[in-house]
Amino acid sequence: MRFSLYSKKNQLDEMQEQTLRKIEGRGFWLMWGGLLAAWIVQTMFGAADKAAGEWVVFMIG
């Protein structure tokens, strides 16, 4: 039997799955906006060398 991360059965009903997808989407956009704002603020105040970490995580996201 081959192991796959995607072969697990989903134990959520439709409403729970829809709620989970909304939470995941909002969490992603909150992360994206927060990192973008942090990067812009750090760049504006001349701390661009410290903004490299946020930029890397921003681009991965």
Side-chain angles (χ1 to χ4, degrees):
M1 184 174 144
R2 297 170 69 189
F3 177 74
S4 175
L5 294 174
Y6 304 107
S7 67
K8 296 180 182 177
K9 287 271 186 176
N10 190 354
Q11 299 296 324
L12 302 175
D13 62 14
E14 291 86 6
M15 184 177 172
Q16 290 172 331
E17 188 170 340
Q18 185 179 25
T19 303
L20 182 62
R21 289 182 192 263
K22 284 182 184 178
I23 292 170
E24 288 175 348
R26 288 180 181 155
F28 170 77
W29 288 112
L30 181 65
M31 177 207 64
W32 192 86
L35 287 170
L36 181 63
W39 181 75
I40 289 171
V41 168
Q42 287 179 349
T43 303
M44 286 174 43
F45 288 114
D49 57 331
K50 295 179 183 176
E54 281 89 354
W55 181 252
V56 170
V57 176
F58 176 75
M59 293 307 290
I60 289 172

